[in-house]
């Protein structure tokens, strides 16, 4: 079975632009989470979606938004990009939401904001 | 903000030696997980230890958890060059409407052949 896939792998944007990142979970997984990993740091939680509903949101501004589609794939949108948004954006899927659920991570999308 | 702090930040050892990484966290947890990340790519789940467990083994990995000290350690025995990676601990605590992983800063392990 294919793992979590993310697209694109790399992206270069300029300040003020908008970006959309995409994630396809493992088949059968209904929960998708997004994390931001700045260089040299651990990942930070942005959103979790389960059954197309937002189930959690991290400490990120409203410029960050996400949604989950009927096929459980997900998009992360970031508006009005700032230099500080440059990071590796990781998507993770799990069978369901809840503690103890193993999350399977995709390879990430590396975003560079100039 | 980061939940945990890994210690050391960087570790360099020779192949065949054991590697020990430590993690401390601040709040009550349901479980603690360890992940590996190769060269800024996706994270790979290594092992999960529940809050009522004290030690867990998986192949060459041994994880301990001390909830009274809010700390955990990951031991990799008989290390290999392929173990070179960043290792992160992540805590899992039930939120009101879901769950989220809170990661530490990571330990960069280099295993020299």
């Amino acid at each position: 079975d294919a793992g979590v896939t993310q697209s694109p792998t790399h992206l270069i944007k300029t300040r003020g632009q908008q970006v959309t990142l995409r994630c396809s979970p493992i088949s059968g997984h209904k929960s998708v989470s997004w994390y931001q990993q700045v260089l040299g740091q651990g990942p930070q939680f942005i959103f979790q979606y389960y059954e197309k509903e937002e189930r959690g949101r991290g400490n990120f501004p409203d410029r960050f938004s996400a949604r989950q589609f009927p096929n459980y794939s997900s998009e992360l949108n970031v508006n009005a990009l700032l230099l500080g948004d440059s990071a590796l954006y990781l998507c993770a899927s799990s069978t369901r939401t809840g503690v103890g659920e193993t999350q399977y991570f995709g390879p990430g999308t590396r975003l560079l904001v100039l | 903000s980061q939940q945990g702090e890994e210690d050391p930040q960087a570790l360099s050892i020779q192949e065949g030696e054991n590697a020990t990484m430590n993690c401390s966290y601040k709040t009550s947890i349901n479980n603690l997980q360890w992940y590996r990340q190769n060269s800024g790519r996706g994270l790979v789940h290594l092992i999960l230890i529940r809050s009522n467990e004290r030690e867990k083994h998986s192949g060459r990995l041994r994880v301990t958890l001390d909830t009274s000290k809010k700390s955990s350690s990951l031991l990799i025995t008989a290390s290999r060059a392929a173990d070179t990676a960043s290792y992160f601990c992540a805590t899992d605590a039930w939120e009101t409407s879901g769950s989220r992983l809170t990661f530490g800063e990571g330990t960069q392990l280099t295993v020299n052949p």
Side-chain angles (χ1 to χ4, degrees):
Chain A
D1 282 343
V4 177
T5 59
Q6 292 186 244
S7 64
T9 56
H10 295 82
L11 205 51
I12 299 175
K13 293 285 187 178
T14 56
R15 281 177 295 176
Q17 286 189 312
Q18 174 264 344
V19 68
T20 299
L21 311 180
R22 296 177 177 82
C23 170
S24 292
I26 292 171
S27 177
H29 285 194
K30 299 181 178 180
S31 177
V32 170
S33 298
W34 288 94
Y35 292 82
Q36 180 197 63
Q37 185 178 23
V38 174
L39 191 64
Q41 297 182 16
Q44 288 204 39
F45 174 79
I46 310 175
F47 285 110
Q48 184 189 44
Y49 276 78
Y50 177 68
E51 290 279 18
K52 301 178 287 294
E53 291 185 1
E54 182 181 305
R55 290 298 190 97
R57 183 185 182 112
N59 188 24
F60 281 81
D62 291 343
R63 299 185 296 107
F64 288 76
S65 63
R67 55 179 174 169
Q68 186 177 34
F69 298 98
N71 66 353
Y72 303 110
S73 66
S74 177
E75 285 182 353
L76 174 70
N77 294 284
V78 186
N79 294 321
L81 285 167
L82 303 174
L83 296 180
D85 295 331
S86 295
L88 180 68
Y89 288 85
L90 295 162
C91 171
S93 76
S94 58
T95 53
R96 54 185 181 272
T97 187
V99 293
E101 286 293 319
T102 297
Q103 296 197 30
Y104 296 86
F105 282 81
T109 293
R110 188 164 296 281
L111 172 65
L112 177 62
V113 182
L114 301 175
Chain B
S1 62
Q2 297 291 333
Q3 160 80 307
E5 297 179 2
E6 272 98 341
D7 167 44
Q9 290 187 328
L11 180 62
S12 181
I13 60 175
Q14 296 299 122
E15 237 177 358
E17 294 181 337
N18 295 341
T20 300
M21 288 160 272
N22 303 297
C23 165
S24 61
Y25 56 91
K26 299 173 183 174
T27 63
S28 296
I29 62 171
N30 287 286
N31 63 72
L32 185 143
Q33 305 180 41
W34 284 89
Y35 285 82
R36 184 186 75 220
Q37 184 177 39
N38 290 81
S39 301
R41 297 180 60 81
L43 287 91
V44 174
H45 183 263
L46 295 176
I47 196 166
L48 179 152
I49 185 165
R50 303 191 188 283
S51 59
N52 61 352
E53 297 176 309
R54 292 297 168 257
E55 187 171 313
K56 201 161 184 179
H57 296 255
S58 176
R60 295 185 295 113
L61 305 180
R62 172 177 169 254
V63 170
T64 62
L65 179 65
D66 187 335
T67 53
S68 66
K69 295 181 180 178
K70 290 186 167 61
S71 67
S72 174
S73 68
L74 170 67
L75 169 66
I76 303 174
T77 60
S79 63
R80 307 165 182 169
D83 295 328
T84 295
S86 292
Y87 292 82
F88 294 90
C89 68
T91 53
D92 192 354
W94 179 252
E95 304 289 336
T96 56
S97 60
S99 64
R100 63 186 68 183
L101 292 177
T102 304
F103 286 85
E105 298 286 343
T107 292
Q108 173 61 49
L109 173 66
T110 301
V111 181
N112 301 299

